[in-house]
C-alpha cells in the first residue's frame, strides 16, 4: 500500500460476485471498497446515518428510496445518501466503489453537495493562479473529506497528518513524497498515508485530488 494503487488492484472485480474489503482507515468512520461483477446487484438497505458512495472504476445504477429511483454513477462521481434512505445498486458491466459511513451525528456537509444526486468531484473546485485551493466537502471531529486543486508550480512541503488518509488523483499528475521516497500519481490512482507519516505533494502541471482523512 505504500505506493500508488488503483481500486481494481486492491479489490479486483470477480465474475458473478460482489465482494467487499475494509479500507481499515479507522473504526469510527467505516470505509469499505466494493467490487461488483457484471450483471450483479446489492439489495436495497439503509443506514441510520448519512452515507457517501464514491465510484472508482466501471459504472452502475444506484436505487434510492422506496420507489427505487435510479441514479447512474460513474468514476470520479460522489453520491450522498441521507439517513434512513433505502439504497441498493446494480451494474451490467462491473463497478468498484468506496462506501463511507458517517456514523457521527455532528458533522458538516457542504451545501454544494445535493443529497441523492451524483456530483462530479473535479468540477467542484477551480484552479487559482499560483495557488493551492481547498474545498471541504464533509468534516467532523473524526474525519475530513476535502478537494484540493494545485496550480502549476505549487505543492505541499513535507508534513504529517493526525490520522490515516487516502488521497485520489482526479486530474493531472503529481509527485507524492512519502517517508523519503517519491512516487508519481496520475488521475485514477490513489495513495495511502498512515497516521503521522511524513508526506508531500508536488504538482506536475495542474493537479486536482480528493483527500479522505480519518482521525482517531
Amino acid at each position: 500500500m505504500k505506493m500508488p494503487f488503483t481500486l481494481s488492484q486492491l479489490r479486483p472485480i470477480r465474475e458473478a460476485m460482489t465482494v467487499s474489503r475494509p479500507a481499515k482507515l479507522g473504526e469510527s468512520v467505516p470505509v469499505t471498497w466494493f467490487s461488483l461483477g457484471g450483471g450483479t446487484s446489492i439489495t436495497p438497505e439503509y443506514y441510520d446515518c448519512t452515507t457517501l458512495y464514491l465510484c472508482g472504476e466501471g459504472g452502475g445504477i444506484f436505487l434510492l428510496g422506496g420507489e427505487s429511483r435510479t441514479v447512474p454513477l460513474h468514476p470520479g462521481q460522489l453520491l450522498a445518501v441521507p439517513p434512513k434512505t433505502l439504497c441498493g445498486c446494480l451494474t451490467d458491466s462491473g463497478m468498484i466503489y468506496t462506501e463511507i459511513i458517517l456514523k457521527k451525528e455532528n458533522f458538516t456537509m457542504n451545501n454544494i453537495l445535493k443529497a441523492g444526486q451524483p456530483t462530479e468531484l473535479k468540477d467542484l473546485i477551480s484552479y487559482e493562479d499560483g495557488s493551492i485551493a481547498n474545498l471541504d466537502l464533509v468534516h467532523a471531529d473524526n474525519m475530513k473529506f476535502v478537494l484540493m486543486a494545485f496550480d502549476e508550480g505549487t505543492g505541499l512541503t513535507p508534513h504529517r497528518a493526525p490520522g490515516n488518509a487516502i488521497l485520489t488523483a482526479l486530474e493531472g499528475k503529481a509527485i507524492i513524497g512519502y517517508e523519503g521516497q517519491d512516487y508519481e500519481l496520475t488521475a485514477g490512482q490513489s495513495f495511502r498515508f498512515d497516521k503521522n507519516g511524513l508526506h508531500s505533494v508536488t504538482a506536475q502541471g495542474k493537479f486536482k485530488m480528493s483527500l479522505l482523512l480519518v482521525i482517531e
Side-chain angles (χ1 to χ4, degrees):
M1 294 277 293
K2 300 304 181 288
M3 61 180 59
F5 64 89
T6 61
L7 293 186
S8 59
Q9 290 173 319
L10 294 184
R11 184 49 274 143
I13 290 175
R14 301 301 188 200
E15 184 178 356
M17 297 174 65
T18 63
V19 188
S20 63
R21 174 176 176 172
K24 298 182 179 178
L25 290 185
E27 295 182 2
S28 62
V29 183
V31 178
T32 307
W33 295 310
F34 284 81
S35 70
L36 281 69
T40 66
S41 64
I42 293 180
T43 303
E45 59 186 10
Y46 70 83
Y47 295 107
D48 291 335
C49 50
T50 296
T51 309
L52 306 179
Y53 295 94
L54 177 60
C55 186
E57 299 181 39
I61 302 292
F62 277 72
L63 307 171
L64 300 185
E67 72 283 8
S68 294
R69 180 171 63 89
T70 59
V71 180
L73 203 65
H74 304 290
Q77 292 185 324
L78 176 73
L79 176 66
V81 177
K84 302 184 185 302
T85 300
L86 282 170
C87 177
C89 63
L90 56 87
T91 177
D92 290 331
S93 58
M95 173 172 61
I96 304 175
Y97 64 86
T98 303
E99 177 189 75
I100 306 167
I101 301 175
L102 304 177
K103 294 168 64 175
K104 281 275 188 178
E105 293 184 5
N106 296 319
F107 68 89
T108 300
M109 187 163 68
N110 195 313
N111 59 16
I112 200 170
L113 293 176
K114 306 302 181 185
Q117 299 180 18
T119 303
E120 192 76 33
L121 289 178
K122 67 181 179 63
D123 293 342
L124 294 181
I125 189 168
S126 62
Y127 293 109
E128 301 297 328
D129 187 38
S131 305
I132 301 171
N134 292 265
L135 178 66
D136 279 7
L137 293 182
V138 183
H139 70 265
D141 59 4
N142 66 342
M143 67 85 65
K144 176 176 282 193
F145 186 60
V146 60
L147 302 181
M148 301 183 71
F150 296 75
D151 195 19
E152 186 172 359
T154 64
L156 300 175
T157 57
H159 62 286
R160 303 180 191 275
N164 297 322
I166 290 178
L167 69 81
T168 299
L170 301 174
E171 184 173 84
K173 63 181 179 180
I175 299 298
I176 306 300
Y178 187 70
E179 296 291 357
Q181 297 290 323
D182 289 340
Y183 306 89
E184 184 176 86
L185 192 73
T186 59
Q189 292 183 311
S190 298
F191 199 97
R192 176 180 175 134
F193 304 135
D194 289 336
K195 181 178 180 179
N196 295 322
L198 185 66
H199 61 278
S200 62
V201 179
T202 305
Q204 306 295 287
K206 294 178 181 292
F207 175 67
K208 291 181 180 180
M209 72 178 205
S210 66
L211 175 67
L212 173 61
L213 174 67
V214 176
I215 303 169
E216 292 187 344

